[in-house]
């Protein structure tokens, strides 16, 4: 299927009709016009069926306004408990999404529950402080034990798995990365890789102090990969957040 490539400020691919895409983005606050405009532009180009956003910085009423403006049918939000918190999932009318569990760090649910093509999606937002990473990994371990259906997990994990996923700044302690890899292995996750720029976060500093890291990723169990083998991940570009949006294409990347 051919598809027209669209540039809309985010350098986005335009989604083919009928494709079910998911969008995950640490948007760093939806309370300003530029971020909301960029989110709208990306959604307009990609037409994702499900959107997971971290660091919304908004209450339920403001998120509900955004849901309506972006024409989503459903919403589950976990409001911020600090200025830098807040997560939300939007989904389109007609998408069969059933909530299972949630916390300030995740929203977990099942798509097409009870049907032949059911699968699990978790939008994840890891603890930003290194000293609290153990809380993130404990959350993933608890989630693993809830069911065994095909599972895809995506978001900002706030950690890298390998030293080559960081450029600039101090070297990440090996033990810190190992703990992250250990929990991914325990959950049976495989990294889905990506198309686009390698790093998903930048500290925005200049004068030789710029740091780039791959903090955002998509992982899935082998059952999920076997069931949907065409799934691909694209790192999109943006200008309003220090994190890149991640597009998950369940039917693969469309050819130009």
């Amino acid at each position: 299927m051919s598809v027209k490539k669209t540039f809309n400020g985010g350098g986005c691919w335009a989604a083919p009709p009928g494709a079910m895409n998911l969008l995950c983005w640490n948007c760093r606050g939806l309370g300003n016009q530029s971020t909301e405009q960029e989110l709208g532009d990306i959604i307009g180009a990609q037409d994702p069926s499900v959107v997971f956003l971290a660091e919304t910085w908004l209450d339920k009423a403001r998120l509900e306004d955004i849901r309506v403006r972006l024409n989503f049918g459903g919403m589950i939000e976990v409001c911020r408990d600090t200025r830098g918190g807040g997560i939300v999932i939007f989904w389109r009318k007609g998408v069969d999404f059933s909530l299972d569990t949630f916390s300030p760090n995740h929203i977990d649910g099942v798509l097409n529950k009870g049907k032949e093509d059911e699968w699990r999606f978790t939008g994840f937002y890891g603890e930003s402080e290194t000293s609290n990473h153990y809380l993130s990994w404990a959350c993933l371990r608890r989630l693993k034990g809830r069911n065994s259906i095909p599972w895809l997990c995506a978001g900002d994990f706030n950690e890298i798995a390998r030293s080559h996923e960081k450029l600039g700044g101090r070297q990440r302690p090996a033990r810190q990365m190992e703990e992250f890899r250990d929990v991914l292995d325990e959950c049976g996750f495989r990294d889905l890789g990506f198309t686009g720029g390698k790093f998903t976060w930048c500290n925005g500093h200049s004068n030789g102090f710029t740091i780039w890291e791959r903090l955002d990723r998509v992982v899935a169990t082998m059952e999920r990969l076997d069931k949907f083998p065409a799934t691909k991940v694209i790192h999109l570009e943006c200008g309003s957040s220090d994190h890149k949006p991640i597009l998950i294409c369940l039917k693969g990347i469309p050819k130009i």
Side-chain angles (χ1 to χ4, degrees):
M1 179 184 294
S2 64
V3 62
K4 186 177 180 181
K5 188 179 181 181
T6 303
F7 184 80
N8 58 25
C12 299
W13 295 94
M20 183 178 180
N21 294 338
L22 292 83
L23 180 72
C24 297
W25 188 24
N26 182 333
C27 58
R28 291 283 295 167
L30 286 176
N32 63 79
Q33 185 175 358
S34 62
T35 304
E36 290 190 28
Q37 179 63 50
E38 188 157 39
L39 176 62
D41 289 344
I42 294 171
I43 288 174
Q46 308 304 339
D47 191 24
S49 300
V50 178
V51 174
F52 172 74
L53 302 174
E55 295 197 31
T56 61
W57 302 359
L58 295 180
D59 59 22
K60 182 176 181 179
R62 292 287 305 279
L63 290 170
E64 178 66 17
D65 289 342
I66 292 172
R67 180 195 69 78
V68 172
R69 287 203 301 274
L70 296 178
N71 197 31
F72 284 95
M75 178 184 86
I76 297 169
E77 89 295 335
V78 182
C79 293
R80 62 181 184 176
D81 53 7
T82 66
R83 183 183 183 278
I87 56 176
V88 66
I89 280 185
F90 300 119
W91 64 91
R92 296 289 191 193
K93 296 176 182 177
V95 172
D96 182 1
F97 181 81
S98 302
L99 176 66
D100 191 357
T101 67
F102 62 90
S103 76
N105 298 98
H106 83 282
I107 299 175
D108 180 52
V110 177
L111 288 98
N112 306 320
K113 188 172 184 178
K115 302 175 184 176
E116 183 178 355
D117 59 345
E118 76 171 349
W119 58 283
R120 180 184 184 187
F121 172 69
T122 303
F124 195 77
Y125 172 53
E127 293 285 341
S128 58
E129 296 294 331
T130 302
S131 60
N132 289 330
H133 280 183
Y134 75 96
L135 297 172
S136 298
W137 311 153
C139 177
L140 285 174
R141 290 184 173 101
R142 287 194 301 272
L143 289 170
K144 176 187 181 298
R146 294 196 63 83
N147 61 54
S148 59
I149 65 174
W151 186 17
L152 184 145
C153 180
D156 173 13
F157 290 82
N158 265 311
E159 186 54 276
I160 62 173
R162 304 283 180 182
S163 58
H164 64 78
E165 295 180 341
K166 179 176 181 178
L167 180 64
R170 295 180 179 178
Q171 187 174 3
R172 184 76 99 251
R175 181 59 183 166
Q176 194 171 317
M177 294 182 289
E178 183 180 359
E179 290 172 351
F180 182 34
R181 295 195 303 270
D182 285 347
V183 72
L184 294 179
D185 287 344
E186 287 180 39
C187 291
F189 284 141
R190 298 293 181 268
D191 195 305
L192 269 62
F194 57 88
T195 295
K198 178 176 182 177
F199 305 107
T200 64
W201 172 85
C202 179
N203 66 353
H205 296 177
S206 56
N207 300 323
F209 294 100
T210 307
I211 298 175
W212 294 86
E213 296 181 337
R214 186 188 176 211
L215 300 180
D216 311 78
R217 69 184 68 227
V218 183
V219 295
T221 59
M222 285 304 301
E223 293 83 1
R224 176 62 176 72
L225 296 174
D226 290 342
K227 201 174 187 69
F228 303 94
T231 302
K232 299 295 182 183
V233 177
I234 303 175
H235 291 174
L236 303 176
E237 299 297 328
C238 72
S240 59
S241 172
D242 54 1
H243 287 260
K244 291 182 179 180
I246 293 181
L247 182 69
I248 306 166
C249 304
L250 300 187
K251 295 186 177 181
I253 301 173
K255 294 180 179 179
I256 300 300

